[in-house]
Amino acid sequence: MSVEVERKFVCNADTLKTLEEIGVCVGRREFRDQYFDTPEFDLTLRDMWLRKRKACWELKCPTTVNGTDEASGGQSKAAALCSRYREITNLPEIQRRVREVMKDIREDGETEASPSQEDESWLSEINLVCFADFTTVRQSFTLEEKGVQIDLDQADFGYQVGEIEVLVPDGGDVQSALEKIERMAGKLGLTGDQRVDGKMNVYLQRNHPEHHAKLLREHVF
Ligand code: V4E
């Protein structure tokens, strides 16, 4: 399990020029994301994001422990522009965590973890449906700062966003990841002091405005 620390940014012509000057493009790929939740949005209202990308499952969860942010030591202005999520990619562990949220729906514990990535019966067992489905073309860059990746995403619903990302292994140093991201933002000349919307934020705004409004009210977004 690792923690993904990232800062989104708006990539204008100047930022792109700087990125091409100081970074190396390491690839361009296209992927489809499908996000799942109950019809009542039990997961996303808890800031839990269940996704299937290229046949791999991933659950992103808050890094908070008992309501306290693990990285709260360094809530500088720059850190506040970053998000931190625990990434879980092990399917049985994903199913265990999702079932934990749904335990009031299936308390008898009779559903076992599905043995394979292909067997998707667990989704309907716990009433999960796809609420977002979109494709992204992603261009990735690396720079001399070790462990930092920059992605430029173009989603098929007409939204473009950049992100500076550092993956911190379990027990690793989130604070130093935040510092790396801040340095990188400086090198790219990013001056904005407002959080930039991610793809999902914009997708929900356009496709599920009521749920988007609820996520704002609940301070998930
Ligand atoms: C919506 C959301 C999550 C879903 C994944 O979002 P994101 O990491 O932006 O997607 P993507 O395609 O860049 O994934 P990657 O390839 O990096 O794995 S995870 C957390 N949220 C909620 C959220 C939030 N509360 N605030 C902000 C600014 N963004 C997202």
Side-chain angles (χ1 to χ4, degrees), residues 16-23:
L16 184 60
K17 190 165 172 274
T18 309
L19 187 53
E20 286 169 344
E21 279 165 9
I22 64 173

Side-chain angles (χ1 to χ4, degrees), residues 4 6 8 33 35 47 49 51 53 58 60 85 87 138 153 163 165 195-196 199-200 220-221:
E4 178 193 66
E6 66 177 34
K8 309 275 191 212
D33 286 332
Y35 284 85
D47 204 8
W49 302 87
R51 174 175 85 196
R53 175 182 292 175
E58 191 164 356
K60 296 194 194 226
Y85 282 87
E87 287 190 339
R138 170 171 289 178
D153 284 356
E163 66 184 34
E165 178 179 308
R195 266 194 185 229
V196 171
K199 299 189 293 286
M200 180 55 73
V220 173
F221 281 147

Side-chain angles (χ1 to χ4, degrees), residues 14 86 92 127 164 202:
D14 287 341
R86 191 165 295 284
N127 202 22
I164 308 172
V202 174

Side-chain angles (χ1 to χ4, degrees), residues 16-138:
L16 184 60
K17 190 165 172 274
T18 309
L19 187 53
E20 286 169 344
E21 279 165 9
I22 64 173
V24 176
C25 180
V26 289
R28 187 177 179 279
R29 63 196 181 106
E30 188 172 323
F31 49 84
R32 176 187 180 193
D33 286 332
Q34 290 170 287
Y35 284 85
F36 293 82
D37 203 342
T38 64
E40 296 75 32
F41 293 107
D42 292 292
L43 293 180
T44 52
L45 284 170
R46 288 169 174 80
D47 204 8
M48 293 171 74
W49 302 87
L50 175 64
R51 174 175 85 196
K52 186 174 152 189
R53 175 182 292 175
K54 287 184 181 275
C56 293
W57 288 93
E58 191 164 356
L59 181 68
K60 296 194 194 226
C61 302
T63 57
T64 51
V65 176
N66 298 329
T68 309
D69 195 311
E70 288 171 14
S72 59
Q75 263 300 4
S76 61
K77 214 163 125 189
L81 297 176
C82 294
S83 65
R84 282 143 264 186
Y85 282 87
R86 191 165 295 284
E87 287 190 339
I88 302 158
T89 52
N90 175 279
L91 186 56
E93 175 63 11
I94 289 174
Q95 291 168 331
R96 192 189 66 71
R97 291 196 181 223
V98 172
R99 283 197 169 97
E100 207 169 275
V101 173
M102 311 301 167
K103 63 177 177 285
D104 47 350
I105 301 168
R106 290 295 298 245
E107 271 180 338
D108 50 22
E110 70 188 42
T111 54
E112 288 300 316
S114 301
S116 72
Q117 295 271 341
E118 293 78 37
D119 179 0
E120 295 188 352
S121 56
W122 65 283
L123 291 173
S124 52
E125 274 167 30
I126 42 182
N127 202 22
L128 294 173
V129 291
C130 178
F131 69 91
D133 187 342
F134 56 86
T135 297
T136 299
V137 174
R138 170 171 289 178

